[in-house]
Amino acid sequence: MTVTRQDTDTVRALQGLEDGRSSVRLRAALAVGTTPDPRFVDKLIERCAIEPEFLVRDMLTWALTRHPVSMTLPELLREVRSERTQARSQALHTLSKIGDRQAWPALTRALLCDADDEVARSAWRAAVVLVPEGEESALATVLATQLGRGGRETQLSLSRALVALGDVMVPALLAATTAPDPRIRTHARATQRLLRDPDAGFEFAIEEAKRAVALGGAGQEGR
């Protein structure tokens, strides 16, 4: 059997994705994305679940977006149900980059409320990209249940997702401003401020909201 140059390059690229040096893995992922090949898809997805370097993971995602959706989508939808948190997170991130709304049914409430912050953040970002017309309000209601969760980065991610939905999220946000938990009220008010003034900055919005909550502000402004 004749071994072609293409076959040799494929083997080299697949081996490169498993190299111990991140720079080699990065170049391999770039090469795979530059010359898409159906034989790469399984290895790219497998590597996404375990790759420790952010830049390499991002290149793996880019390489997957270069392959036909018909090949990548079924595999990614399987990955969002994985027990491995990084597999779920990176699959969701990749789905958000592909942007095919066939993936919407996979964005379950369980994923949007995933116990792992990174998975949840990836799910929020994917959801606002993939949500079909008419489903935005229901999505906002689910996202609002996560207000007050986590640290600054998690809260900022949620606020950005809610703001990206626009005015449809106002009722859910307004309801959250009267929640018993002051963290929820503060986060809701900060998100209101970002909706009104996207240039305000999250830190400023949070500090302003903390002062308002401490003073007993009712948060009735809505938008």
Side-chain angles (χ1 to χ4, degrees):
M1 182 175 65
T2 302
V3 177
T4 67
R5 178 183 178 83
Q6 184 180 22
D7 289 332
T8 302
D9 290 344
T10 298
V11 170
R12 185 180 297 117
L14 290 173
Q15 290 174 339
L17 291 173
E18 297 182 340
D19 195 276
R21 296 160 293 179
S22 61
S23 60
V24 174
R25 299 197 302 277
L26 185 66
R27 288 196 299 272
L30 174 61
V32 169
T34 301
T35 311
D37 186 313
R39 290 172 292 182
F40 292 137
V41 172
D42 285 347
K43 177 58 69 174
L44 288 170
I45 290 177
E46 175 188 315
R47 190 67 209 176
C48 279
I50 59 175
E51 172 55 51
E53 297 293 333
F54 170 79
L55 288 178
V56 180
R57 291 200 303 273
D58 222 34
M59 190 65 76
L60 292 168
T61 281
W62 173 78
L64 282 166
T65 67
R66 299 272 295 159
H67 289 77
V69 173
S70 60
M71 299 189 63
T72 58
L73 191 60
E75 301 298 321
L76 290 168
L77 293 180
R78 186 188 69 240
E79 285 294 282
V80 301
R81 299 190 297 271
S82 171
E83 292 184 1
R84 188 187 292 268
T85 56
Q86 183 172 304
R88 298 199 301 277
S89 175
Q90 199 64 25
L92 288 162
H93 174 65
T94 305
L95 288 172
S96 74
K97 295 300 182 182
I98 292 173
D100 192 309
R101 286 182 170 171
Q102 292 182 82
W104 169 248
L107 271 294
T108 61
R109 188 185 186 101
L111 278 175
L112 294 169
C113 304
D114 197 282
D116 184 88
D117 284 347
E118 191 57 42
V119 174
R121 288 167 59 186
S122 295
W124 302 336
R125 289 191 293 266
V128 298
V129 170
L130 301 174
V131 60
E133 186 176 353
E135 297 286 339
E136 297 92 345
S137 181
L139 174 59
T141 298
V142 176
L143 292 183
T145 67
Q146 302 301 291
L147 286 163
R149 169 181 175 166
R152 179 191 178 282
E153 290 302 318
T154 297
Q155 293 195 3
L156 176 57
S157 290
L158 182 59
S159 290
R160 284 175 171 167
L162 285 164
V163 169
L165 292 175
D167 288 346
V168 298
M169 63 87 158
V170 170
L173 205 59
L174 185 59
T177 62
T178 60
D181 189 335
R183 282 175 54 86
I184 295 175
R185 298 201 303 273
T186 298
H187 193 185
R189 290 180 66 95
T191 307
Q192 285 180 326
R193 177 58 190 267
L194 291 177
L195 180 63
R196 297 195 308 271
D197 182 10
D199 296 325
F202 188 68
E203 294 295 345
F204 175 81
I206 280 287
E207 290 306 315
E208 183 182 66
K210 284 179 179 178
R211 290 193 295 271
V213 169
L215 293 171
Q220 296 295 318
E221 65 268 37
R223 177 168 182 188

